[in-house]
Amino acid sequence: MSVMPKPIRFSPQTKLITAGIIVALTILFIQHIEHVLPPFIAAIITAYLFNPLVSWLQRRVKTGRAIWIVVMYVITFLLLYSLFTWIWPIIVQQTSDLARAAPQLANQIADFFADHQELDLGGFVIDLSPLEEQLISLVRDLGTWLSGNVPGLVFSALETVIYILVYLIITFYLLLEAGHLKRWASNLIPAPYREEIGSLGRQIDAVFSAYIRGQLILIVIMSVLLYIPLSILKVPYALVIAVASGVLEILPIIGPWSAAGIAVIATLFQTNIPFGLSHLGLAALVGIIYFTLRQIEDHFIIPNVMGPLVRLHPAVVIFAILAGGALAGAFGLFMSIPVAAIIRIILSYLYRKLTDQPEPPLPPITPSAEGEASAPQQAIQ
């Protein structure tokens, strides 16, 4: 008498224990190989950001993904080559000059405060002495940091080449197989819940991708818009200050004020003052430029680059920034806004489940050439 085969069935407790063991082993494994992860993480981020562009080009021109990926690689190489042969040497030179000039700038600040202990604004007197020590300490710390972190290679030449090759290869395959990877991830979800969870995932993807791409575009736009007036006004280290200001723009609230403060301090001790302006007049003009560009950014650039996806109350934004900075430093400040928006989406979903409320209508799905599905941005308004 033959025995019918019987599949192994896990009890709920066994499933929980198995999942816990898998998670623990995965974390332990990642901790032991974290030094080789950067090129893979960079490849995942790059593929995530550029996959919509490759998919759009593929749909419009009806050619293979591999061709457009190669074209993108060639264009990116040409852009990076231009960057490293033209802009990068200037940044390195100005960064080195700024590091060497930091002690002299600190002495100039001390001399300035020695002659200006108070600021009289129409009878309203402001004591400037508390600022002296803070500014001098800031400039000296900046000089020390720059002297030890002038842009250069972090790894050995061989290690750098290997990491770059791994990054390029992994990025290529991730972009090439993006459609299959999405379908594979979708098939991991049980079929009855696939549509609902897929809708939630598309909402999260719309917020996250719009924010990351928007911030990268914002860095370039603000750096260029700031470099032009700073160079016209002959502000020292104009390129470094403009690029630093563009990067600081990604830190909500704190970044723009810090960027403007750096530029204004540089103008206060500028030796070559153009157009017959005084130091204070030049500093005020630079401050006005930063304020004006900030208004343009808030009312024109950000709404058109990022759209209305990340909608949070100002109080929530401030709390998210403080929490992100406390938990993960500068990276937490950068990621605080999209993470807060994603948490809002998830909490709204869980609230509907806890209160047995009906799900809102699913957003329309636009099929792509590969059978993927992408929800429009209106899904998160």
Side-chain angles (χ1 to χ4, degrees), residues 23 112 134 146 215-216 222 226 258 262 268 279 283 306 315 317:
V23 171
F112 174 83
Q134 298 295 328
L146 288 176
Q215 290 290 14
L216 294 177
M222 295 305 294
L226 286 169
S258 301
I262 293 172
L268 285 174
H279 281 94
M306 296 186 190
V317 171

Side-chain angles (χ1 to χ4, degrees), residues 22-42:
I22 293 174
V23 171
L25 290 176
T26 302
I27 294 174
L28 185 63
F29 177 71
I30 291 176
Q31 288 177 343
H32 282 79
I33 63 164
E34 60 183 359
H35 61 286
V36 302
L37 292 180
F40 293 90
I41 296 174

